[in-house]
Amino acid sequence: MTPVTNIDQGGNVLPGRLELHPDRLFPADPATRAVARRLYDLVKALPIISPHGHTDPAWFAFDAPFANAAALLLAPDHYLYRMLYSQGVPLEALGVPSRRGPSPADPRAAWRLFAANQHLFRGTPSALWLSHVFAEVFGFDVALSAETADLYFDRIGEALATPAFRPRALFARFNIEVLATTEAPTDTLQHHKAIRASGWHGRIVTAYRPDPVVDPEHEDFSAELERFGELTRQDVFAWRGYLEAHRLRRAAFKAMGATSTDHGHPTAATADLPEIEAEALFRRVTSGAFSPADAELFRAQVLTEMARMSLDDGLVMQIHPGAFRNHNRWIHGAFGRDKGADIPQPTGYVRALKPLLDRFGNDPRLSVIVFTLDESAYARELAPLAGHYPVLKLGPAWWFHDSPEGMRRFREQTTETAGFYNTVGFNDDTRAFLSIPARHDVARRVDAGFLARLVTEHRLDEDEAAETAVDLAYHLPKRAYKLDQPAPAPAFA
């Protein structure tokens, strides 16, 4: 929560305290807040199911100490440095790596710069997450500021050097039951293999993210396609060989625990072309002589092909459309992808998903989880679609809307048409490992508040709300991502 500032009798500002109010995010109305407290008490200690995220599996494979506060909390977190960049702070000063390699910035100097700009995060979900991490994980009771920057940097550094703050120890401390990472088809999954071979019992699984070999407009498409062929020993420049390569890599991912695929396309478009047309389209995109319309159609066709493969291997599909990726050309050129310059854009689902749904929408063997960055689609398109088609479920408020207000808007706009049980609970979708408990805590508090309002409005009995709260926090994500099924036996091929 927001640090508390004290003022003495002389009007002097004293160092700010850091306090997490036990009723944070609960409704202000006393009767509703009382119900929210009771519901939250049922779910606050439940194990965390993190079925989709971007943490580094190498952390858990090697269990090496994290380097320092800046490297762990600042440099990997685009939520933080995109805000700082918007206020004129250069990324290179924050320790963010560039295309040239690691940042030359001094970690302590980067941390001081971050600490001096804490006011920029007031009212944002980042402030909630950071306060939770600082108070609950590291035990701070004084706020981060320019004056306390070195105190934070040194105390966090001392903690990270101890066994209790190694990745595997934190995984256990955070009560994480399962955590999914996300890898490209050309990843050898060596870190997941090392985790399996180590004998550690923490459940870390991968997820299949084929974007680099699906998007002809990806800057590494040609090189990744070559690597795709080398790994699978398939002729990936022939349509049938390309599809077979996907099947082989999906099987390898499944052997490493994968239960899902993930598709981060610019739009939600799907297509169902006759094979001869798909082959001709594939020749165009692999030759380099393709138009933007060809690229969009190819991505659309591959989504339908991925659905077809899911019928065979059982992997759950996740579709994450609607981001204009790497909008800042200069940042992309200097620092690469995923550097805070992705911008939401309008996204249509009714017509876009129809080719896939015409083919597979009534097949109970398929499960498709759809996300959006376009909140206008919640009530108009997504809730009605998920409230009808058996294959569709709604992913939670995502990315820019992974906030208390965003979560509330999601529930308000989808529940009346799709209900709770056509949603999949919460997933944190983060690279920031230490923020995972904070993010899940926010979701549990917001859902407790939403359910409490239904109880006090006499729209839901409290016992129904209690069961729903537990389902949203624990059972629905396990069920939706098939994580309630036994993990596959170790495989090292």
Side-chain angles (χ1 to χ4, degrees):
M1 293 297 293
T2 304
V4 178
T5 301
N6 291 330
I7 301 177
D8 65 17
Q9 292 180 345
N12 300 307
V13 178
L14 301 174
R17 299 193 314 274
L18 181 63
E19 295 181 341
L20 299 181
H21 197 286
D23 286 342
R24 61 191 181 277
L25 302 178
F26 291 163
D29 172 69
T32 312
R33 185 169 63 238
V35 177
R37 285 186 192 131
R38 294 195 293 270
L39 296 175
Y40 173 71
D41 283 343
L42 297 173
V43 300
K44 64 182 180 182
L46 288 175
I48 288 174
I49 306 299
S50 181
H52 174 85
H54 301 280
T55 52
D56 188 344
W59 296 339
F60 308 102
F62 303 118
D63 202 32
F66 293 112
N68 55 66
L72 174 60
L73 297 168
L74 174 58
D77 195 338
H78 59 80
Y79 282 86
L80 300 181
Y81 59 70
R82 77 184 304 272
M83 176 65 81
L84 295 164
Y85 184 77
S86 77
Q87 291 287 309
V89 179
L91 295 187
E92 52 266 36
L94 298 170
V96 179
S98 71
R99 289 189 185 274
R100 295 188 299 273
S103 169
D106 173 66
R108 185 182 293 275
W111 186 259
R112 287 172 174 168
L113 187 57
F114 170 55
N117 284 281
Q118 286 301 291
H119 62 284
L120 299 179
F121 299 100
R122 291 171 185 165
T124 69
S126 293
L128 287 170
W129 303 330
L130 285 169
S131 293
H132 189 284
V133 170
F134 294 151
E136 295 292 318
V137 180
F138 292 105
F140 285 103
D141 58 8
V142 61
L144 178 63
S145 64
E147 292 74 26
T148 61
D150 285 340
L151 170 68
Y152 265 71
F153 190 85
D154 292 335
R155 189 184 294 179
I156 291 173
E158 292 167 1
L160 295 180
T162 66
F165 283 81
R166 296 283 183 91
R168 293 181 182 181
L170 289 172
F171 183 95
R173 175 180 168 185
F174 293 163
N175 197 22
I176 300 175
E177 183 173 312
V178 59
L179 184 150
T181 66
T182 306
E183 278 74 48
T186 52
D187 193 297
T188 63
L189 303 180
Q190 61 179 349
H191 299 312
H192 284 275
K193 295 172 185 176
I195 292 169
R196 294 288 189 90
S198 73
W200 179 55
H201 296 298
R203 189 177 179 187
I204 307 288
V205 302
T206 185
Y208 188 68
R209 177 74 173 247
D211 296 1
V213 296
V214 168
D215 184 1
E217 296 177 313
H218 192 292
E219 66 270 24
D220 297 326
F221 178 69
S222 296
E224 286 291 288
L225 209 55
E226 291 278 1
R227 176 66 176 146
F228 196 39
E230 292 169 3
L231 271 177
T232 60
R233 300 180 181 179
Q234 297 296 310
D235 179 6
V236 297
F237 291 92
W239 177 237
R240 293 187 180 182
Y242 172 79
L243 295 179
E244 182 61 22
H246 276 293
R247 292 187 186 96
L248 292 171
R249 293 307 293 155
R250 288 168 65 109
F253 273 62
K254 191 170 180 179
M256 286 295 106
T259 64
S260 67
T261 68
D262 183 37
H263 309 275
H265 291 198
T267 75
T270 62
D272 190 17
L273 300 176
E275 185 173 12
I276 190 169
E277 293 183 24
E279 289 176 339
L281 174 63
F282 185 66
R283 286 194 295 271
R284 291 199 299 276
V285 300
T286 54
S287 72
F290 62 88
S291 66
D294 287 333
E296 174 74 343
L297 183 58
F298 182 70
R299 291 186 294 260
Q301 180 63 28
V302 174
L303 270 186
T304 304
E305 299 295 342
M306 293 293 105
R308 194 188 320 274
M309 292 181 196
S310 285
L311 294 179
D312 296 328
D313 60 27
L315 295 180
V316 175
M317 284 187 71
Q318 299 176 90
I319 304 177
H320 283 84
F324 190 125
R325 306 264 176 181
N326 311 301
H327 193 275
N328 187 323
R329 180 185 296 182
W330 185 85
I331 289 291
H332 183 225
F335 290 89
R337 302 176 71 87
D338 302 320
K339 293 299 183 290
D342 299 341
I343 308 297
Q345 58 187 347
T347 306
Y349 294 86
V350 173
R351 295 187 183 279
L353 294 176
K354 196 168 192 311
L356 186 153
L357 294 173
D358 282 347
R359 178 56 69 95
F360 305 119
N362 302 292
D363 194 323
R365 295 174 297 166
L366 179 63
S367 181
V368 180
I369 302 173
V370 183
F371 295 76
T372 191
L373 293 174
D374 181 2
E375 290 186 312
S376 70
Y378 281 151
R380 186 186 65 246
E381 300 185 27
L382 287 175
L385 283 166
H388 172 73
Y389 280 99
V391 304
L392 287 182
K393 294 288 185 289
L394 299 184
W398 168 49
W399 200 346
F400 291 89
H401 310 305
D402 180 13
S403 64
E405 289 77 12
M407 294 173 185
R408 291 188 188 104
R409 289 192 296 267
F410 173 80
R411 292 289 177 216
E412 288 168 355
Q413 295 185 52
T414 63
T415 302
E416 62 186 5
T417 304
F420 292 108
Y421 290 86
N422 281 313
T423 69
V424 301
F426 178 71
N427 64 57
D428 47 77
D429 191 20
T430 185
R431 293 173 174 80
F433 177 46
L434 269 63
S435 76
I436 288 176
R439 292 166 187 256
H440 284 261
D441 187 68
V442 169
R444 292 174 184 189
R445 288 175 176 274
V446 170
D447 281 342
F450 182 80
L451 289 163
R453 195 191 84 195
L454 298 185
V455 171
T456 55
E457 292 175 355
H458 306 291
R459 299 167 59 189
L460 202 64
D461 290 337
E462 189 166 338
D463 59 345
E464 294 177 308
E467 182 180 13
T468 305
V470 172
D471 286 341
L472 292 173
Y474 183 73
H475 294 298
L476 285 184
K478 284 191 74 169
R479 191 179 309 144
Y481 285 87
K482 300 184 179 180
L483 293 166
D484 54 351
Q485 301 175 9
F492 308 105

